[in-house]
Amino acid sequence: MSFTLESKLANKVLNGFFENVSYVKGVEASDADKAVFEALPEGPSAAEFPHLARWYAHIAAVQGLSAKAAAAPAAAAAEEDDDIDLFGSDDEEVDEEAEKIKAQRLAEYQAKKAAKPKPIAKTTVTLDVKPWDDETDVNAMTEAVRAIQMDGLLWGGYQHVPVGYGIKKLQINCVVEDDKVIFNLGIKRERN
């Protein structure tokens, strides 16, 4: 029986078949492998059909069939391997034009990065203000604390928290811009 497999669909089906098996029938090359081999008009592309190309090259080597036909996929596979250099070679020549472009782009990136404004570092602070005794007016103390104004200081929410024996402390939040408040007050703090 003689037949030919010319369509891409046939190559795709055979590629899927040879993904999980090594031979058409059984565990070694047989007449069925020879018949399918001869039905293929030429060696399949290793890039497009890797499993079929592997089988094709193996059958050609085992059967001693049409070495010329088997050389095409092997050459395609070798050519494909030459194109891929995963780790880079040290023996390749340095392309001066590429290095110039790389240096230029790096300089442009550094200039663009330097031109961007730095993000403003802010710190959230919670203050506990305790009165001297139970006769201190907590509301007046709250107003006195909130009266402190400075560029970069923003007062937030507050609450009067009982401490004991009828005494309440003031707990108040604020947000400060580090460069404007903390460093201008002379507080020593490491900058990141």
Side-chain angles (χ1 to χ4, degrees):
M1 180 167 87
S2 175
F3 62 95
T4 59
L5 300 171
E6 297 182 9
S7 72
K8 252 187 168 178
L9 178 61
N11 284 346
K12 188 173 183 179
V13 169
L14 285 171
N15 187 59
F17 177 76
F18 287 119
E19 183 175 1
N20 298 318
V21 297
S22 297
Y23 301 102
V24 172
K25 185 175 169 184
V27 292
E28 58 185 42
S30 65
D31 290 335
D33 289 295
K34 184 177 180 181
V36 172
F37 180 87
E38 290 173 350
L40 291 171
E42 59 184 27
S45 165
E48 215 173 341
F49 307 108
H51 306 294
L52 179 59
R54 173 193 45 80
W55 170 85
Y56 190 86
H58 177 69
I59 296 301
V62 168
Q63 298 283 342
L65 301 172
S66 177
K68 181 178 139 187
E79 182 181 320
E80 185 177 322
D81 287 345
D82 289 343
D83 293 344
I84 300 173
D85 188 10
L86 296 177
F87 301 106
S89 297
D90 292 340
D91 61 344
E92 291 182 12
E93 294 181 19
V94 176
D95 185 9
E96 291 181 23
E97 185 65 30
E99 290 297 320
K100 286 179 185 178
I101 292 171
K102 182 179 173 183
Q104 178 187 3
R105 288 183 180 164
L106 185 61
E108 289 172 1
Y109 171 75
Q110 295 293 344
K112 190 175 183 182
K113 186 177 175 184
K116 277 186 175 179
K118 291 171 53 176
I120 298 171
K122 295 181 180 182
T123 302
T124 302
V125 180
T126 301
L127 298 173
D128 280 340
V129 184
K130 297 178 184 169
W132 282 104
D133 58 17
D134 62 340
E135 295 178 5
T136 305
D137 184 11
V138 181
N139 291 328
M141 186 171 59
T142 303
E143 293 306 316
V145 170
R146 291 178 68 90
I148 299 170
Q149 296 296 320
M150 176 181 260
D151 187 30
L153 172 66
L154 176 66
W155 291 106
Y158 67 90
Q159 61 182 351
H160 299 138
V161 181
V163 178
Y165 303 106
I167 300 174
K168 292 185 178 182
K169 70 177 180 179
L170 167 66
Q171 195 172 56
I172 189 167
N173 294 325
C174 65
V175 176
V176 295
E177 290 182 31
D178 293 352
D179 288 336
K180 291 182 179 178
V181 177
I182 293 177
F183 299 113
N184 290 340
L185 291 175
I187 298 171
K188 295 194 180 206
R189 181 175 170 192
E190 287 185 27
R191 291 186 184 198
N192 293 343

